[in-house]
Amino acid sequence: KVEFRNIDFSYNVGGKVLNNINFKVNPGDKIALVGATGSGKTTIISLLSRFYDPTDGEILVDGKNIKYVDLYSYRSQMGIMLQDTFLFSSTIMENIRYGRLDATDEEVINAAKAVNAHEFIMKLENGYDTEVNERGSRLSLGQRQLVSFARALLANPRILILDEATSNIDMESEEMIMNVIRELSKTKMILFISHRLSNVVDSDCIYMMKDGIVAEEGTHEQLMCKKGRYQHLFDKQKELESYSANMLWNESLKK
């Protein structure tokens, strides 16, 4: 169980990034953080991961302030996939295995299959033994994200944090990953950041961030009924997606 209690946060310079953040997440909950760039979503994830400590307030996990929990033990129970993925100068097999160092080759491959990465990996010159450069520069952004997600999945974490987990991948892989996330949410706590609101509609609670505060919160249905900022952005995105789909269809008819 995670609780943010009266959380304020400021970096060394500038004003508050977060202001009086309060929410609770129970085991098995899927929580979505949405809002514009700079609204505070990733800062919340960074605080939960203890990359920083709050300026004021406290973050509790199972009732204990995470400032006083062994950091190695705490992070070993978390799987984190950030928007800016990092791959080491090693093989793809070893990059995925960093999620759990004692994992067998079969477990690594199964994690890759679960996120739809196995097919592209097997097309590389040495498959799972293909060496990738520092930060994975030999792979596309989407391929790096899939490898990163396989790593997070392999860790079998109690808390899974996904920051724009599908931002650079194709639609087929995105749908597969969303199905994996839905399955994982039955047993794990998931905190999901996404600009694409269609990916968060089945969340147990959605927190709409604006300028460092929680501007709106509730399920998708509750927020749509409020007819606030969330409802406006959701309808706008659906309109744009429909327009894009029609454009693609018309282009295909011309060929």
Side-chain angles (χ1 to χ4, degrees):
K1 182 177 179 180
V2 169
E3 181 179 358
F4 274 57
R5 185 182 291 175
N6 304 320
I7 292 294
D8 290 350
F9 180 73
S10 302
Y11 292 101
N12 291 332
V13 293
K16 284 185 180 180
V17 179
L18 296 177
N19 187 14
N20 195 33
I21 301 297
N22 291 275
F23 65 82
K24 296 179 182 180
V25 191
N26 293 311
D29 280 355
K30 177 186 173 186
I31 300 301
L33 301 172
V34 301
T37 300
S39 60
K41 307 183 301 297
T42 298
T43 302
I44 287 176
I45 297 304
S46 296
L47 292 177
L48 180 60
S49 306
R50 273 215 74 196
F51 297 147
Y52 305 98
D53 287 325
T55 306
D56 288 300
E58 56 184 356
I59 301 172
L60 306 176
V61 174
D62 289 341
K64 298 179 181 179
N65 190 320
I66 62 172
K67 289 177 66 174
Y68 308 115
V69 174
D70 179 79
L71 190 58
Y72 178 82
S73 173
Y74 175 59
R75 286 186 177 161
S76 70
Q77 300 179 65
M78 304 178 73
I80 304 174
M81 181 181 167
L82 302 178
Q83 186 173 7
D84 184 18
T85 60
F86 185 90
L87 298 185
F88 300 93
S89 183
S90 183
T91 65
I92 289 180
M93 177 73 76
E94 291 308 308
N95 265 285
I96 297 175
R97 205 193 310 271
Y98 281 124
R100 183 161 54 85
L101 295 176
D102 62 350
T104 65
D105 289 358
E106 183 180 8
E107 288 173 323
V108 170
I109 292 170
N110 286 338
K113 287 180 176 177
V115 300
N116 208 28
H118 179 73
E119 184 176 350
F120 92 78
I121 292 172
M122 293 306 295
K123 290 179 180 179
L124 300 174
E125 63 268 28
N126 294 312
Y128 284 85
D129 293 323
T130 300
E131 294 277 343
V132 297
N133 298 334
E134 191 79 9
R135 300 191 67 85
S137 58
R138 295 186 61 186
L139 304 178
S140 70
L141 287 174
Q143 290 171 338
R144 281 179 245 167
Q145 276 197 303
L146 292 176
V147 170
S148 178
F149 191 36
R151 178 197 295 162
L153 190 62
L154 183 66
N156 192 27
R158 293 174 65 188
I159 301 174
L160 183 59
I161 297 172
L162 304 170
D163 187 349
E164 295 293 347
T166 63
S167 60
N168 293 305
I169 59 179
D170 60 83
M171 292 181 64
E172 181 181 352
S173 295
E174 178 182 35
E175 182 58 32
M176 179 169 287
I177 284 180
M178 292 309 302
N179 287 335
V180 171
I181 292 171
R182 292 183 191 103
E183 190 64 28
L184 290 173
S185 66
K186 296 177 182 178
T187 57
K188 303 182 187 304
M189 178 187 298
I190 296 180
L191 281 85
F192 190 65
I193 293 178
S194 180
H195 282 98
R196 194 173 303 176
L197 299 183
S198 58
N199 285 339
V200 306
V201 295
D202 60 347
S203 300
D204 295 291
C205 191
I206 301 168
Y207 293 92
M208 184 80 193
M209 301 293 299
K210 182 181 180 183
D211 299 330
I213 66 170
V214 177
E216 300 175 24
E217 64 179 275
T219 64
H220 170 73
E221 291 76 14
Q222 290 169 341
L223 291 176
M224 292 298 286
C225 289
K226 289 180 180 179
K227 298 188 181 302
R229 183 169 177 79
Y230 176 88
Q231 182 261 338
H232 172 75
L233 290 176
F234 184 85
D235 288 346
K236 195 70 176 176
Q237 283 192 9
K238 294 297 288 184
E239 181 182 326
L240 290 172
E241 288 172 6
S242 177
Y243 175 78
S244 297
N246 287 333
M247 288 292 291
L248 288 172
W249 174 250
N250 290 334
E251 287 297 320
S252 67
L253 292 177
K254 294 177 183 178
K255 295 180 179 179

